[in-house]
């Protein structure tokens, strides 16, 4: 199953994002992004399942949490940026 990576500019922002999703029952994991996605060096992302992605985007909008780039992470490790 594919997942989505919501890029965040800092660990604190990733924690706020994950906490908002968890409040609405969406499992979210804070992870370091694949090397090719983190050119700035100090970035984190929040990983959500494919089936909860659209709901997660609604929650982030509800909590007024803008997000950085979003990538779809395939089981083979390939990532593709998606437009929301």
């Amino acid at each position: 199953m594919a997942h989505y990576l919501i890029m965040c500019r800092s660990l604190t922002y990733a924690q706020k994002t994950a906490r908002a999703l968890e409040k609405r029952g969406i499992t979210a994991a804070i992870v370091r992004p694949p090397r090719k996605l983190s050119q700035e060096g100090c970035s984190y992302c929040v990983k959500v399942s494919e089936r909860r992605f659209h709901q997660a985007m609604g929650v982030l909008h509800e909590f007024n949490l803008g997000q950085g780039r979003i990538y779809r992470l395939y089981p083979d490790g390939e990532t593709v940026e998606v437009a929301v």
Side-chain angles (χ1 to χ4, degrees), residues 3 14 18-19 21 25 27-28 31 33 37 40 47 54 58 66-68 72:
H3 287 84
R19 195 170 17 252
L21 295 173
T27 302
V31 297
L37 300 182
E40 297 88 45
K47 183 177 175 182
H54 292 291
Q67 70 276 341
R72 186 170 183 183

Side-chain angles (χ1 to χ4, degrees), residues 26-42:
I26 300 171
T27 302
I30 299 171
V31 297
R32 296 298 302 249
R35 226 174 253 273
K36 68 179 184 176
L37 300 182
S38 62
Q39 284 111 23
E40 297 88 45
C42 209

Side-chain angles (χ1 to χ4, degrees), residues 19-65:
R19 195 170 17 252
L21 295 173
E22 293 285 343
K23 282 183 180 180
R24 295 295 186 258
I26 300 171
T27 302
I30 299 171
V31 297
R32 296 298 302 249
R35 226 174 253 273
K36 68 179 184 176
L37 300 182
S38 62
Q39 284 111 23
E40 297 88 45
C42 209
S43 62
Y44 288 85
C45 61
V46 176
K47 183 177 175 182
V48 296
S49 70
E50 181 177 36
R51 71 182 174 91
R52 301 298 294 267
F53 174 68
H54 292 291
Q55 184 182 6
M57 292 295 96
V59 170
L60 295 183
H61 181 70
E62 174 187 340
F63 279 84
N64 201 25
L65 291 169

